[in-house]
Amino acid sequence: MKRQFVAALVHLYPRAWREEYGQEFADVLASRPLTCAEVWNVLANALSQQVRTREPWLLVGWPLIVALSVYLVSAMWTPRSAHFAHKGLTVILFCVGLWTKMRDGSGSGNAAIKLNLLIGLPVIVLGLLAGMGAVRLVLSGSDTVDTGPDWRISLAFYGSTNARVSQLKGQMIFAPLFAIVPAYVLGCCGGLVGRLLKAGYDKQAR
Amino acid sequence: MSRKPQAGPASDPELLILSSLASGPKHGYAILLDIETFADLTLGAGTLYTAITRLVEKRWIAPQTPEGRQRPYRLTRAGRIVMREQLTQMERLAKAGLRRLRTI
């Protein structure tokens, strides 16, 4: 029983780390009493190893998908502004570029593209559902054209609040693809700031 | 009974591991027991292996050929230099602090 629990704890660490240290780490854990403090210590350090080894765009991407899905579903009850999501996404893409540059020293534009495609998934799904007629999108804004009650959503993820509903479905499906170039530019801008900050830190360290 | 590490340079897991390996190569569990003995501190297994990972990446310690299931680690030359620098700095700080305490 304890062996299985230890194996489950070790499994929380990244695969590459497990291959290097997993066996001896499991032996050390198995040879000590597994108190709550010890388990908490393992959980905290497993998280820190995950953060150390994973790409920033992946670390940011999955929680964002959850947050965005909640945001979309909550729009069933309360119409949501697209501008908030649009501005938030702009900041996040910039920050991921900055983080990637400061961490690895390269690939900030590509990291922003990958994040853009990843967090575009809930939007694409909603666009597909709307296209199939499973849900109805309702715009609220200056150019509201549809007042159907099914899905009270003002979301147009990439700043297209003023689009007509018929256009919006298509936009939502392809929006992450259209946003590749802006995402790349934002990531590169973040990377540029990251490079300047890194150079400053390195200079200070010397 | 050993205590949990408090914040401060003397309870830094990396320095504790370096100090433990200064007396010869040891595997993970032996390092934990040694730290409990000489520093009266209990490190969590997660903290120990996170610190070991960092030290190996910095090349301050190096893994040796495994003995059975356990793999011993040894202090490298770079690790010895860093450890000496840190301990000397701590010694200087401790002396200065204690001298000032006596004047209070």
Side-chain angles (χ1 to χ4, degrees):
Chain A
M1 182 73 184
K2 187 179 179 185
R3 274 275 163 199
Q4 286 164 334
F5 186 54
V6 164
L9 286 175
V10 175
H11 210 76
L12 297 172
Y13 281 77
R15 186 184 292 171
W17 190 92
R18 287 202 309 268
E19 284 168 4
E20 186 67 29
Y21 300 100
Q23 188 182 314
E24 53 185 293
F25 182 54
D27 285 344
V28 169
L29 276 178
S31 59
R32 288 157 63 92
L34 275 181
T35 59
C36 287
E38 185 75 77
V39 172
W40 177 251
N41 182 266
V42 171
L43 292 177
N45 281 282
L47 182 67
S48 101
Q49 285 298 332
Q50 293 282 4
V51 170
R52 265 165 56 84
T53 52
R54 302 258 168 186
E55 295 281 334
W57 67 270
L58 261 179
L59 283 169
V60 173
W62 290 113
L64 267 182
I65 281 195
V66 175
L68 187 59
S69 300
V70 171
Y71 187 79
L72 290 174
V73 171
S74 70
M76 285 176 76
W77 294 277
T78 314
R80 299 287 181 188
S81 162
H83 294 299
F84 173 74
H86 185 58
K87 282 177 188 162
L89 184 67
T90 303
V91 173
I92 287 164
L93 290 171
F94 179 88
C95 290
V96 161
L98 189 150
W99 184 5
T100 306
K101 179 63 81 179
M102 292 198 72
R103 181 177 180 259
D104 301 333
S106 64
S108 45
N110 288 338
I113 288 178
K114 287 177 195 165
L115 177 65
N116 164 66
L117 293 176
L118 184 65
I119 61 178
L121 287 176
V123 184
I124 293 173
V125 169
L126 189 59
L128 285 171
L129 288 173
M132 289 186 297
V135 295
R136 283 183 70 191
L137 299 175
V138 180
L139 292 182
S140 68
S142 58
D143 191 23
T144 303
V145 290
D146 192 333
T147 53
D150 298 3
W151 192 286
R152 297 193 304 148
I153 190 163
S154 66
L155 175 120
F157 192 55
Y158 294 90
S160 49
T161 11
N162 294 330
R164 289 176 176 275
V165 169
S166 56
Q167 296 169 337
L168 184 60
K169 292 170 193 167
Q171 279 182 8
M172 288 177 74
I173 295 168
F174 296 109
L177 297 177
F178 292 140
I180 281 179
V181 174
Y184 182 78
V185 172
L186 279 168
C188 286
C189 289
L192 192 66
V193 175
R195 187 191 291 176
L196 293 173
L197 286 174
K198 204 174 177 198
Y201 285 137
D202 290 348
K203 201 174 169 185
Q204 214 170 28
R206 267 185 257 122
Chain B
M1 190 182 153
S2 57
R3 59 201 164 80
K4 298 274 170 210
Q6 303 288 315
S11 60
D12 172 43
E14 292 188 15
L15 190 58
L16 289 169
I17 294 168
L18 292 176
S19 302
S20 174
L21 295 180
S23 67
K26 291 179 195 69
H27 54 73
Y29 190 62
I31 295 173
L32 277 183
L33 294 180
D34 189 41
I35 289 172
E36 283 182 10
T37 308
F38 79 81
D40 194 26
L41 288 169
T42 305
L43 284 189
T47 304
L48 174 79
Y49 271 89
T50 297
I52 285 178
T53 308
R54 278 199 302 262
L55 289 169
V56 170
E57 282 171 5
K58 290 176 186 169
R59 297 170 193 260
W60 292 353
I61 66 172
Q64 290 188 307
T65 317
E67 296 169 352
R69 286 170 65 89
Q70 290 291 345
R71 183 172 52 168
Y73 295 89
R74 66 173 175 81
L75 196 59
T76 63
R77 190 167 172 273
R80 270 202 306 275
I81 293 169
V82 170
M83 187 185 159
R84 185 167 291 125
E85 278 174 6
Q86 289 192 3
L87 290 178
T88 308
Q89 197 180 0
M90 281 171 69
E91 187 183 25
R92 215 170 26 238
L93 183 69
K95 276 182 182 167
L98 286 170
R99 205 169 36 242
R100 290 179 181 192
L101 264 181
R102 272 185 233 116
T103 62
I104 295 175

